[in-house]
Amino acid sequence: MDLEDWRKEIDVLDRKLLKLLNRRAECAIEIGRIKQAIEQPIFVPEREMSILNRILELNKGPLDAEAVRRIFQQIIDESRRLMQKNQGS
């Protein structure tokens, strides 16, 4: 494959990633609504640590563990922000 082929592949992957991230965000919003209804806190550090540990165990590279941790920490932070934003909706 040449440069343009690789760029097209990245464009396809970016669209797929965006779709998956938005679906994950929808799930987080629903979880936030459920937590509000049953009066559970949005932030559960143990759950977030569990998610990060599981993802790090699944990682086979080439991204190193620190890069994966940073990416998923940001995803988790944004999910939590959405949950908080949508409380009371």
Side-chain angles (χ1 to χ4, degrees):
M1 289 189 353
D2 66 12
L3 178 62
E4 196 57 36
D5 292 329
W6 285 111
R7 286 179 174 165
K8 286 178 185 175
E9 177 72 9
I10 285 177
D11 290 345
V12 168
L13 293 169
D14 285 347
R15 279 192 297 277
K16 289 178 182 179
L17 282 169
L18 182 59
K19 183 176 180 178
L20 290 170
L21 287 168
N22 278 309
R23 179 61 187 138
R24 190 185 193 288
E26 291 168 353
C27 292
I29 290 167
E30 290 305 315
I31 289 169
R33 288 185 179 134
I34 293 167
K35 284 181 169 186
Q36 183 178 22
I38 61 175
E39 298 180 353
Q40 284 191 0
I42 294 295
F43 180 56
V44 180
E46 299 82 16
R47 171 66 179 151
E48 291 188 12
M49 186 59 66
S50 171
I51 292 168
L52 289 171
N53 287 338
R54 181 176 39 85
I55 292 299
L56 290 171
E57 287 176 14
L58 292 170
N59 182 39
K60 303 294 184 217
L63 289 173
D64 65 24
E66 184 57 25
V68 170
R69 189 200 61 73
R70 283 193 312 267
I71 291 166
F72 274 86
Q73 187 63 62
Q74 189 64 43
I75 291 168
I76 291 167
D77 290 348
E78 290 303 320
S79 295
R80 188 179 337 103
R81 185 187 63 78
L82 279 172
M83 285 183 206
Q84 291 167 339
K85 176 182 170 188
N86 285 282
Q87 283 207 338
S89 299

